[in-house]
Amino acid sequence: MLLHTECFNPYHTNCYFLTDEESGSTVIIDPGCYFRRERTRVQHLIRLNDWHIVQILATHLHIDHIFGVHFLTKAYGCPFGASPLDNDWIDRAPDRCREVGLEVRMPFVYPTFYLAHGDTVRFGSESLSVLSVPGHSPGSLVFYSPTARCLFSGDTLFRGGIGRTDLPGGNRRLLTESIRHQLLRFPDDTAVYPGHYEPTTVGAEKAMLL
């Protein structure tokens, strides 16, 4: 599996492009491309690498992780998957933009298919296992690649910290339990690619949290 990372929008949200090398089938996780130059950058990358975009995934539905969903699903005719437990954040999205001083530049769309704990996302010969890790938001998901032995943790687990829980639907106790039961069970050398900031490993965060 090939992994490419871009950082988008005023919140520096990490967007991940995962590609099956044989087929070029590509999944995009957390497309936070808010500015026009960021959307142009994505189109350039897709053309340059001859990626075939097959699915858009969101670890959760806070605005900074989904700014680019409408643009991508319209441009590439691909489905969008996330947890239905976060659908309330689609309803909140325009107001949330105004609260943080951002223009509503693109429509916010509901997922076209839903994901739950234990599901598998397939693209070419690659796959991602879906883990439910609520706490940052009710529908927060983490995606695990068995090929690359890495976790895409969204805003649940960061290098040296955990996600915020002060937004509606957040729950610090639940988030801490979710991380311990769902993420820290992986081997210490499992890479963790968070929704913001630098990558880390399960082992490094286990030492901080346990």
Side-chain angles (χ1 to χ4, degrees):
M1 184 184 76
L2 296 176
L3 168 62
H4 180 85
T5 308
E6 292 285 324
C7 189
F8 292 135
N9 70 54
Y11 298 97
H12 305 289
T13 302
N14 291 330
C15 174
Y16 298 102
F17 299 79
L18 315 181
T19 303
D20 171 54
E21 295 185 61
E22 294 183 4
S23 66
S25 296
T26 300
V27 166
I28 303 177
I29 298 177
D30 289 349
C33 37
Y34 174 77
F35 299 107
R36 179 178 296 177
R37 66 178 181 272
E38 295 173 340
R39 298 193 293 272
T40 301
R41 167 75 175 162
V42 169
Q43 290 179 308
H44 173 72
L45 285 170
I46 291 171
R47 287 194 301 268
L48 180 66
N49 294 285
D50 198 25
W51 289 333
H52 174 49
I53 309 302
V54 295
Q55 293 184 68
I56 308 299
L57 305 176
T59 56
H60 61 295
L61 297 180
H62 289 167
I63 56 172
D64 53 319
H65 292 254
I66 59 171
F67 282 130
V69 168
H70 178 266
F71 151 68
L72 287 166
T73 54
K74 185 176 181 181
Y76 299 102
C78 53
F80 166 44
S83 168
L85 299 178
D86 269 4
N87 274 355
D88 184 54
W89 277 101
I90 300 296
D91 300 326
R92 294 174 180 269
D95 288 339
R96 183 60 180 160
C97 283
R98 287 185 280 271
E99 286 172 4
V100 297
L102 295 175
E103 297 178 21
V104 181
R105 296 186 172 182
M106 300 286 281
F108 291 95
V109 297
Y110 291 97
T112 53
F113 69 97
Y114 290 118
L115 295 168
H117 187 83
D119 287 346
T120 300
V121 175
R122 302 188 186 280
F123 53 110
S125 61
E126 298 285 349
S127 66
L128 295 171
S129 300
V130 180
L131 306 173
S132 175
V133 190
H136 176 65
S137 72
S140 286
L141 303 174
V142 169
F143 303 107
Y144 174 68
S145 167
T147 302
R149 299 178 64 209
C150 66
L151 294 161
F152 297 92
S153 64
D155 288 2
T156 59
L157 183 63
F158 297 108
R159 182 177 180 179
I162 64 174
R164 63 186 293 185
T165 55
D166 58 324
L167 295 174
N171 185 310
R172 185 176 180 83
R173 179 191 59 79
L174 185 56
L175 176 58
T176 302
E177 291 179 356
S178 297
I179 291 170
R180 286 176 175 165
H181 295 155
Q182 296 295 339
L183 304 186
L184 299 188
R185 64 183 177 84
F186 284 90
D188 286 355
D189 62 351
T190 303
V192 178
Y193 294 99
H196 306 268
Y197 316 119
E198 301 84 5
T200 183
T201 64
V202 166
E205 303 317 310
K206 186 182 296 183
M208 297 276 293
L209 295 171
L210 293 182

